[in-house]
Amino acid sequence: MQQQTQPVTVGSENDAREHLKRPKNQGGMTPAKGETSTKLKSLSRKPPVSYEATEERLAGGRAQEDLTLPRSKTESASAKATSSDHGANSDTFNYNKFRGCLLKPPLGRDNGKPSDPKTNERREKVKEMMKFAWDNYKRYAWGKNELRPLTRNGHIGNMFGGLRGASIIDSLDTLYIMGLMEEYNDAKEWVQTSLDLNSNGEASLFEVNIRYVGGLLSAYYLTGEELYKSKVMELGEKLLPAFNTPTGIPRGVINLGSGTSWSWGWASAGSSILAEFGTLHLEFVHLSELSRNPIYTEKVMNIRKLLNKIEKPHGLYPNFLSPVSGNWVQHHVSIGGLGDSFYEYLIKSYLMSDKTDGNAKTMYYGALEAIEANLVQKSPGGLTYMAEWRGGILDHKMGHLACFSGGMIGIGADDGAPEKRQHYLDLAAEITHTCHESYTRSATKLGPEAFRFDGGGEATATRLSDRYYILRPEVIESYMYMWRLTHDPKYREWGWEAVEALEQHCRVESGFSGIRDVYTMTASHDNMQQSFFLSETLKYLYLLFSDDDLLPLEDWVFNTEAHPLPIIRKSCLQDEATQDKTVSE
Ligand code: DMJ
């Protein structure tokens, strides 16, 4: 999720997300009075829950009551658990058994090394970029959230409350899969000694979830290090108070210390954002898996249930919803900022459930049909794009963020109606092509934050405020998926074009920086090396130049920050006969 286009400004304001945060008494943040004033101390111990069982509970009369318990009731219901075990059941998660349920070794036969020398050389180049980005972060910004590569210092920002080390958490899995083990060990040691979750600051529930929860989960699943598991359990518990609203739809901002939550000041009428509360499912289901506590799955299934039931204009999901009334607050629909990863998490929830979560599948294809009917457009020049929808009026603009949708539609192509498979693959390829065009039509060969299809141009930014590029991954992400799905060599070529452009325009002496205008060759750098550059952009490039057996899609789905999470094979995990076999790599 990203707030929509924002002007790029100097220093700490250069990530649009900086604008999401407001001090709590300014800009109309809505306190969840009395609902989240004390921290949830502990969680109840319950047996693991299946999708079917959760759906059943939610359909029953008791369900809503259970899920919207006032704080005091929730606490007394869980009084038996101790706070030190973070709700973990004594029936603990068996890592070896989990590894035995994977179809393939996570890192492939030879860490995904491609046999073709040219591709391998490109892969090595991406690894070098990661090392360069990491080394500079380590040297100038260690322990801070992000590196400011021009001024050579750290950036903290205000998206993560008092949490620190966002670039470290976001890099763990990338370093690990690239075999940068010295760097990975430094990162792990930092988590062990310095990751302090007892922070009191106000954080974005969404950002903490996708980066910290997602990063720690994938580090655990890849390495089996208990450290990551206990940290992520502790953090997951701190996020739960955000759900204490009349509907169970969480608010966007949470104080990780007190558990108090607010809506973003800029979100109209105290609403919650679709891409925020709709981008929790993958991580929360895994929190339930690891803790053997169904509460996390229940929280996100409750969101799902409300969204499924509520009336949708033309079948579309608007971006703002009231956590109090459960009604839409505005009719702005976007597959880019504010909406994007909600759709991504529907299809990925289905895939991550080993294709048992039929409700996610139905909602995904329903949403996609509505998107196709109302948002997908063809330009006079033959480019397919996703417009935005404002109460029935089309805005012929596509954000860089919306470019993830090529990959999403691609990975979902196999599971819709069989006769639509080719149609979805074609649509995925067309969208990815359009996003590539937004890159090729700029002087730098990097794409703008948003491009338009009106005012005479196609796939180009027409507003000065849309011309920036902040090292975002979405276009490269779609190249990676389309490569895996089609093996059309053009996707690797397009990825390489992006590497060259990043090297030429974003690499500076002490790291990588975003640029303010992709249409001019005299670069003006924004002085920010975003943590998602290490987590997503470089990881997707590395995967693009690797063999498909590195993090095979048969076993893994990537969260929206590119942290790989394993497909949950309930039947295998629950099969008593499954032996504790560790897969050797
Ligand atoms: C990332 O944090 C995630 O991909 C999120 O879904 C929105 N976009 C940024 C990177 O652009």
Side-chain angles (χ1 to χ4, degrees):
M1 198 288 300
Q2 184 87 23
Q3 166 67 312
Q4 298 205 34
T5 52
Q6 300 280 351
V8 180
T9 52
V10 183
S12 70
E13 295 300 305
N14 72 345
D15 182 347
R17 266 178 281 225
E18 292 296 336
H19 300 261
L20 300 184
K21 188 71 175 63
R22 298 283 180 275
K24 71 178 160 218
N25 291 325
Q26 288 174 23
M29 270 192 186
T30 314
K33 277 202 190 96
E35 293 166 352
T36 55
S37 54
T38 52
K39 224 178 92 31
L40 191 67
K41 290 197 185 97
S42 56
L43 306 171
S44 58
R45 293 165 187 241
K46 293 181 189 169
V49 67
S50 67
Y51 287 101
E52 294 73 20
T54 310
E55 280 285 63
E56 211 171 273
R57 266 170 59 75
L58 292 169
R62 258 189 24 238
Q64 190 57 27
E65 186 196 334
D66 285 350
L67 296 172
T68 56
L69 285 176
R71 173 50 46 84
S72 56
K73 235 173 152 184
T74 315
E75 281 182 350
S76 66
S78 58
K80 281 189 219 131
T82 63
S83 60
S84 60
D85 65 3
H86 308 298
N89 194 290
S90 53
D91 165 24
T92 50
F93 182 82
N94 183 333
Y95 185 79
N96 281 341
K97 190 165 187 174
F98 145 71
R99 288 294 293 256
C101 290
L102 293 176
L103 302 178
K104 297 179 173 173
L107 302 187
R109 275 172 319 235
D110 190 11
N111 294 344
K113 185 177 175 185
S115 50
D116 163 39
K118 183 172 145 206
T119 306
N120 192 43
E121 218 172 276
R122 291 178 168 187
R123 190 172 96 129
E124 286 301 308
K125 176 66 203 168
V126 175
K127 183 171 167 179
E128 184 277 328
M129 292 164 79
M130 179 69 189
K131 184 161 164 46
F132 179 72
W134 173 263
D135 285 348
N136 280 291
Y137 166 77
K138 189 175 168 205
R139 180 157 180 205
Y140 299 113
W142 189 240
K144 301 288 192 313
N145 286 326
E146 278 144 334
L147 165 70
R148 292 156 60 95
L150 298 188
T151 45
R152 299 194 179 102
N153 58 344
H155 173 252
I156 290 177
N158 47 20
M159 289 187 307
F160 310 116
L163 297 179
R164 297 287 183 269
S167 289
I168 299 177
I169 306 297
D170 253 356
S171 295
L172 282 164
D173 51 15
T174 311
L175 295 170
Y176 186 78
I177 66 162
M178 290 183 176
L180 289 165
M181 295 317 284
E182 200 180 302
E183 291 77 5
Y184 165 78
N185 284 325
D186 288 342
K188 181 180 140 193
E189 193 188 320
W190 185 87
V191 174
Q192 200 146 30
T193 58
S194 309
L195 176 59
D196 181 7
L197 300 177
N198 291 314
S199 89
N200 229 341
E202 290 154 18
S204 157
L205 171 68
F206 164 80
E207 297 290 356
V208 169
N209 178 59
I210 66 169
R211 303 195 201 203
Y212 284 82
V213 176
L216 290 167
L217 282 171
S218 69
Y220 173 66
Y221 282 116
L222 287 172
T223 67
E225 296 278 2
E226 286 295 312
L227 159 73
Y228 302 127
K229 183 175 146 196
S230 70
K231 287 285 185 195
V232 81
M233 294 284 87
E234 190 183 340
L235 181 56
E237 194 176 330
K238 286 173 189 288
L239 301 181
L240 286 173
F243 294 79
N244 278 6
T245 64
T247 56
I249 297 288
R251 291 186 162 87
V253 191
I254 179 166
N255 182 309
L256 296 173
S258 67
T260 311
S261 66
W262 294 270
S263 299
W264 295 112
W266 49 264
S268 44
S271 54
S272 296
I273 313 300
L274 181 69
E276 294 199 329
F277 63 79
T279 309
L280 303 165
H281 201 103
L282 304 181
E283 297 81 2
F284 273 54
V285 165
H286 271 294
L287 287 172
S288 276
E289 273 300 301
L290 293 187
S291 65
R292 299 296 196 217
N293 190 315
I295 193 166
Y296 301 99
T297 301
E298 287 172 358
K299 296 292 182 198
V300 288
M301 288 305 274
N302 181 53
I303 297 174
R304 166 92 66 77
K305 182 170 178 254
L306 189 145
L307 288 174
N308 201 9
K309 215 172 64 185
I310 187 175
E311 200 175 315
K312 291 167 271 292
H314 301 272
L316 294 165
Y317 292 80
N319 291 337
F320 297 96
L321 186 90
S322 163
V324 176
S325 68
N327 293 323
W328 303 118
V329 173
Q330 276 185 12
H331 279 189
H332 172 213
V333 177
S334 162
I335 194 87
L338 304 175
D340 50 9
S341 40
F342 158 68
Y343 305 96
E344 174 185 354
Y345 271 36
L346 285 178
I347 185 63
K348 288 183 176 175
S349 295
Y350 171 65
L351 297 173
M352 198 182 82
S353 72
D354 200 19
K355 306 195 177 179
T356 62
D357 185 358
N359 178 246
K361 174 181 172 177
T362 308
M363 285 174 72
Y364 170 74
Y365 287 106
L368 187 54
E369 261 176 43
I371 288 167
E372 277 203 79
N374 295 283
L375 268 55
V376 173
Q377 304 289 305
K378 185 83 98 181
S379 73
L383 297 178
T384 303
Y385 64 98
M386 304 265 193
E388 302 202 353
W389 193 88
R390 296 174 192 275
I393 313 271
L394 282 184
D395 186 2
H396 294 271
K397 157 190 147 186
M398 186 163 171
H400 193 288
L401 289 163
C403 286
F404 83 97
S405 61
M408 175 187 76
I409 294 167
I411 56 170
D414 268 351
D415 295 293
E419 69 278 8
K420 295 201 85 176
R421 181 178 178 275
Q422 194 52 49
H423 166 76
Y424 286 136
L425 282 177
D426 292 345
L427 179 60
E430 285 170 30
I431 298 276
T432 308
H433 170 70
T434 299
C435 291
H436 176 246
E437 285 297 304
S438 79
Y439 276 47
T440 58
R441 293 175 191 212
S442 80
T444 57
K445 307 300 170 208
L446 292 165
E449 178 67 6
F451 42 95
R452 304 193 64 94
F453 295 87
D454 51 12
E458 290 200 358
T460 45
T462 50
R463 296 176 188 174
L464 274 178
S465 59
D466 286 339
R467 292 169 157 231
Y468 63 94
Y469 172 70
I470 57 167
L471 306 174
R472 286 196 192 282
E474 291 78 15
V475 175
I476 291 164
E477 174 181 348
S478 284
Y479 297 165
M480 191 284 288
Y481 282 115
M482 293 311 291
W483 162 256
R484 288 246 175 138
L485 294 168
T486 65
H487 289 146
D488 184 332
K490 77 180 176 203
Y491 295 114
R492 278 186 165 167
E493 290 310 313
W494 292 356
W496 186 246
E497 288 169 12
V499 167
E500 291 185 317
L502 284 165
E503 283 287 285
Q504 192 182 344
H505 303 289
C506 299
R507 189 171 180 135
V508 293
E509 209 180 307
S510 302
F512 286 90
S513 167
I515 55 175
R516 290 195 171 80
D517 188 347
V518 296
Y519 298 102
T520 167
M521 293 294 270
T522 45
S524 168
H525 293 107
D526 70 8
N527 194 22
M528 181 65 74
Q529 180 175 283
Q530 304 283 348
S531 81
F532 54 68
F533 181 65
L534 296 96
S535 169
E536 296 192 74
T537 312
L538 293 176
K539 187 188 286 128
Y540 285 132
L541 280 169
Y542 190 75
L543 292 172
L544 177 64
F545 299 121
S546 295
D547 278 355
D548 296 356
D549 65 359
L550 179 59
L551 297 174
L553 297 181
E554 293 94 324
D555 278 325
W556 301 88
V557 296
F558 292 88
N559 89 339
T560 195
E561 189 79 359
H563 295 304
L565 299 173
I567 287 174
I568 299 169
R569 300 210 158 82
K570 277 264 187 277
S571 53
C572 175
L573 289 166
Q574 284 166 2
D575 174 8
E576 290 306 315
T578 308
Q579 296 302 310
D580 281 6
K581 51 175 177 149
T582 311
V583 179
S584 55
E585 283 163 20

